[in-house]
Amino acid sequence: MEKIKLNISGNLVGIKIPSTTVFEVIEVDLKSIVIKNYKLLKTLKFYKIINSNFSEIQILQLEKIIESTVSLKSLEKADKSNKMAEKKIDYTLHYGNLRSGEKINSETNVVILGNLNPGSYVQSRKNIFVYGKAHGTLHAGCDFNKHQTSFVYIEEAEFPKVRIGEAQLMYDDKEVDKNIMFEKKMGKIAIKKVDKNQIKYLLKKIGFDLI
């Protein structure tokens, strides 16, 4: 009999539900696997149910099991909610890790649910948000003029190279390595630690409301 599988990428867990198993068994197995992996799952932020042939009502039942057991939010539900407010959306969403040599080049804001490995590269005309570890190159505001501002947010810094416009730095401060915002001031990149409410406010401005 096929089993439920958890695929973790950055702060997202993909929950692969086998379609060959009866729903009643899946309900019991899902609750068991969520409880068994509770300590690991509570460190993440989002989940996504994948490869399922069950009905919408059955999927809602599975989501209820997950959300009543561990504090995770449905990536799919959030995507649907954001699509209802398309005029506010101004970002490119990527979930999954970026390997060495992989690139993202966006005309708008970039939100990444995953890690940036050494040798990866993210370029955005506006802002960059990374929900994961960053050890690559992040270039925000690459085409902005001197009167416009951009910033980079990283949940956990792993010696990333940060560029904002023409200013750049190699970040190597391990004492302040989580929830960091980089912004350009007086021609140089300034660094500050931000809290959850500040992050929420910034993300809402571009229509990304998942935390």
Side-chain angles (χ1 to χ4, degrees):
M1 183 176 68
E2 288 187 88
K3 295 183 178 180
I4 296 172
K5 294 182 179 179
L6 303 181
N7 298 315
I8 296 174
S9 179
N11 277 319
L12 172 72
V13 57
I15 304 175
K16 188 175 182 180
I17 307 292
S19 56
T20 56
T21 308
V22 296
F23 182 74
E24 289 72 18
V25 174
I26 288 296
E27 283 185 294
V28 175
D29 288 351
L30 179 61
K31 187 169 184 177
S32 174
I33 198 170
V34 171
I35 292 173
K36 182 179 179 180
N37 294 278
Y38 175 78
K39 288 185 178 180
L40 171 62
L41 294 175
K42 74 176 184 177
T43 65
L44 309 177
K45 286 187 171 68
F46 315 106
Y47 73 90
K48 181 179 178 65
I49 295 177
I50 54 178
N51 292 351
S52 172
N53 292 327
F54 295 124
S55 68
E56 187 174 343
I57 292 176
Q58 289 173 322
I59 293 298
L60 287 173
Q61 287 178 248
L62 297 181
E63 290 176 343
K64 187 175 180 180
I65 290 171
I66 297 167
E67 294 174 14
S68 65
T69 308
V70 66
S71 182
L72 291 175
K73 295 194 176 184
S74 168
L75 186 63
E76 188 171 342
K77 274 199 251 181
D79 281 346
K80 288 180 180 178
S81 175
N82 283 332
K83 285 175 183 176
M84 293 173 65
E86 287 187 2
K87 291 183 180 179
K88 294 182 180 180
I89 294 176
D90 188 24
Y91 64 84
T92 296
L93 175 63
H94 175 88
Y95 61 87
N97 299 332
L98 256 66
R99 299 187 297 273
S100 178
E102 287 192 305
K103 297 181 180 181
I104 293 177
N105 193 335
S106 176
E107 294 293 309
T108 184
N109 299 285
V110 175
V111 179
I112 298 172
L113 308 182
N115 302 325
L116 272 65
N117 291 322
S120 60
Y121 183 84
V122 180
Q123 180 173 286
S124 166
R125 290 190 65 186
K126 295 186 178 180
N127 309 299
I128 300 173
F129 297 85
V130 180
Y131 286 112
K133 296 180 181 179
H135 190 168
T137 299
L138 303 96
H139 186 184
C142 54
D143 292 330
F144 274 21
N145 63 45
K146 65 180 180 180
H147 300 296
Q148 295 171 304
T149 59
S150 292
F151 56 87
V152 172
Y153 165 79
I154 297 174
E155 185 177 51
E156 188 170 349
E158 292 274 330
F159 307 109
K161 181 178 181 181
V162 178
R163 294 184 61 188
I164 300 178
E166 297 303 315
Q168 60 182 312
L169 63 78
M170 179 66 76
Y171 188 73
D172 59 1
D173 186 352
K174 297 306 293 180
E175 291 185 10
V176 184
D177 63 350
K178 293 186 178 180
N179 299 319
I180 310 165
M181 178 184 289
F182 302 83
E183 56 187 341
K184 190 175 177 181
K185 290 185 177 180
M186 305 294 290
K188 296 182 178 180
I189 296 179
I191 304 163
K192 68 177 180 180
K193 192 174 179 69
V194 292
D195 60 30
K196 187 174 180 179
N197 288 331
Q198 291 171 308
I199 299 166
K200 256 178 128 172
Y201 171 75
L202 293 169
L203 289 173
K204 276 190 174 184
K205 288 174 67 176
I206 63 171
F208 190 85
D209 190 15
L210 287 181
I211 64 173

